[in-house]
Amino acid sequence: MQIRARLGISADGYVTTPNGWPAQTADPAFASGQSHGIREFLADCEAALTGRTTFEPALTNSRWPWPDLDVFVLGSRRPEGTPDHVTTDSDPVRLLEKVRAANRGGDVHLIGGPRTIGTFHALGALDRLELVVVPMLFGGGMRLTPALSPDAGLTFLSQRALPGGSVEIVYSCTGSREDLPDKPASQR
């Protein structure tokens, strides 16, 4: 089992638009549940792990976003209308134990904003960070850091161009980053 966060990011580094929507939803090529490589990504996943803020809008969607996945929600309360099959817990350690206990060998899609992703990274539970860089500049919005520590060790795994001009970049999250140099490489 690998826990994999996948999120869109603008070319200028924002994971949300200035009004809070996920970056990929601003891309004219976006089609919910279909574009930006999401189908291929979800093919290896058996569960969704999300924060309450990201989860709650799904309760009013015309289409349940995780029809074939076990769903686990990190939140201090169980939102009204939450289906019975969804597991909720306010403690990230307990919720992670529940995810692992229920796992049948597939991967887990970690969905959420920087705070949720940072929480599970701090627990050592984030195995992969998958970014879909959309060909847009937002000039504002939410950044992945500082909630995800800049000390995170990222090891490049792969990249691929996606239809519509986006680029998928996949990193392993093992290890920690070395100190940043005080001078550019060309001046050392």
Side-chain angles (χ1 to χ4, degrees):
M1 170 185 101
Q2 288 200 338
I3 297 180
R4 301 163 52 195
R6 180 182 180 86
L7 59 158
I9 188 167
S10 66
D12 57 347
Y14 295 96
V15 296
T16 69
T17 64
N19 45 348
W21 289 97
Q24 67 273 20
T25 64
D27 188 345
F30 176 75
S32 181
Q34 298 176 34
S35 62
H36 296 87
I38 192 66
R39 283 186 178 182
E40 297 91 342
F41 172 81
L42 289 175
D44 295 329
C45 294
E46 71 175 49
L49 173 58
T50 184
R52 184 188 52 79
T53 302
T54 300
F55 173 73
E56 282 187 346
L59 295 173
T60 58
N61 275 358
S62 59
R63 178 187 66 84
W64 181 247
W66 311 290
D68 301 320
L69 302 178
D70 297 334
V71 180
F72 298 84
V73 180
L74 178 63
S76 57
R77 61 179 176 77
R78 185 177 185 87
E80 187 175 327
T82 299
D84 291 339
H85 68 277
V86 172
T87 301
T88 61
D89 201 306
S90 62
D91 180 85
V93 173
R94 278 195 314 257
L95 188 61
L96 187 56
E97 289 170 359
K98 292 174 183 179
V99 168
R100 288 180 172 147
N103 188 268
R104 300 174 303 278
D107 290 343
V108 177
H109 181 192
L110 177 57
I111 309 161
R115 190 174 57 207
T116 299
I117 292 169
T119 295
F120 288 99
H121 181 264
L123 293 174
L126 179 61
D127 297 301
R128 285 190 183 183
L129 177 62
E130 305 188 17
L131 301 174
V132 175
V133 182
V134 296
M136 302 180 81
L137 302 171
F138 294 165
M142 187 181 298
R143 293 197 179 271
L144 185 56
T145 57
L148 183 59
S149 170
D151 294 332
L154 300 178
T155 303
F156 174 79
L157 295 176
S158 65
Q159 93 288 327
R160 69 179 171 137
L162 298 171
S166 294
V167 177
E168 173 190 82
I169 307 170
V170 180
Y171 296 98
S172 168
C173 296
T174 57
S176 61
R177 185 189 77 199
E178 295 179 17
D179 289 337
L180 293 175
D182 57 353
K183 296 180 183 178
S186 63
Q187 294 180 8
R188 282 186 247 148

